[in-house]
């Protein structure tokens, strides 16, 4: 039984990585142009991803009509959530409507941060970086705290829901 569960968890993590990475590459413009030499592409992607990770810019989608940042509103987040949680092979939302019926849990949104962070940390030629609790628990818990802080914010909290 434990072996079957481990294989399922392994596949679950792999599917999440594949979805998030494919979305991240296109929606964050992380595909180098033909002008970037092949030997420089890895460094180009690392630099572009580092810029997005700096101050969590990958979560933001410009500014609103008042000039304030749209936190946790990037279209890639929505695309990843729909692709994995709602329409993916696991149909997690169908299995647990009590959790996903009204909102995507912040903890689920935080998983995306872990996968994207992996693009930077493991971009040494590995297309699908290692994704383990040991490697990403600090990133994950930091993101959950940050999202909860956004939820408490008078202006940005309502926009996140």
């Amino acid at each position: 039984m434990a072996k079957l569960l481990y294989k399922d968890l392994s596949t679950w993590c792999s599917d999440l990585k594949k979805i998030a990475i494919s979305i991240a590459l296109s929606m964050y413009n992380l595909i180098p142009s033909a002008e970037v030499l092949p030997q420089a592409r890895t460094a180009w992607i690392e630099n572009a991803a580092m810029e997005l990770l700096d101050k969590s810019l990958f979560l933001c989608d410009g500014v609103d009509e008042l000039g304030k940042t749209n936190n946790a509103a990037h279209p890639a987040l929505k695309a990843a959530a729909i692709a994995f949680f709602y329409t993916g092979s696991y149909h997690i939302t169908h299995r647990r409507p009590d959790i996903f019926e009204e909102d995507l849990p912040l903890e689920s949104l935080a998983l995306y941060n872990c996968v994207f962070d992996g693009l930077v940390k493991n971009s040494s030629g590995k297309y699908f970086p290692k994704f383990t609790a040991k490697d990403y628990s600090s990133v994950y818990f930091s993101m959950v705290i940050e999202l909860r802080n956004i939820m408490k914010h008078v202006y940005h909290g309502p926009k996140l829901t």
Side-chain angles (χ1 to χ4, degrees), residues 87-125:
T87 62
S89 59
Y90 286 91
H91 295 284
I92 295 169
T93 56
H94 297 290
R95 293 180 184 183
R96 295 301 308 266
D98 54 315
I99 296 173
F100 290 93
E101 189 171 44
E102 294 180 25
D103 298 316
L104 179 68
L106 295 180
E107 294 79 7
S108 298
L109 186 56
L111 281 174
Y112 184 78
N113 182 52
C114 294
V115 174
F116 188 75
D117 189 69
L119 281 175
V120 174
K121 289 182 178 173
N122 298 296
S123 60
S124 58

Side-chain angles (χ1 to χ4, degrees), residues 5-136:
L5 179 60
Y6 176 75
K7 282 185 178 179
D8 190 48
L9 288 174
S10 215
T11 303
W12 181 89
C13 291
S14 178
D15 286 353
L16 176 61
K17 285 190 298 187
K18 289 174 187 174
I19 288 169
I21 290 170
S22 67
I23 288 170
L25 290 173
S26 61
M27 295 190 80
Y28 291 115
N29 203 19
L30 293 174
I31 301 171
S33 69
E35 297 166 359
V36 177
L37 297 173
Q39 61 270 27
R41 289 186 178 163
T42 299
W44 186 93
I45 293 169
E46 286 177 356
N47 290 336
M50 284 300 284
E51 286 178 23
L52 290 168
L53 280 172
D54 184 43
K55 299 178 185 172
S56 298
L57 293 177
F58 74 98
L59 293 171
C60 305
D61 186 31
V63 295
D64 63 15
E65 60 279 354
L66 298 177
K68 296 187 180 230
T69 303
N70 287 319
N71 295 307
H74 196 282
L77 300 173
K78 181 177 180 180
I82 290 170
F84 183 75
F85 295 107
Y86 292 87
T87 62
S89 59
Y90 286 91
H91 295 284
I92 295 169
T93 56
H94 297 290
R95 293 180 184 183
R96 295 301 308 266
D98 54 315
I99 296 173
F100 290 93
E101 189 171 44
E102 294 180 25
D103 298 316
L104 179 68
L106 295 180
E107 294 79 7
S108 298
L109 186 56
L111 281 174
Y112 184 78
N113 182 52
C114 294
V115 174
F116 188 75
D117 189 69
L119 281 175
V120 174
K121 289 182 178 173
N122 298 296
S123 60
S124 58
K126 293 181 181 178
Y127 188 70
F128 297 113
K130 191 175 169 187
F131 188 57
T132 64
K134 178 184 173 192
D135 294 329
Y136 288 98

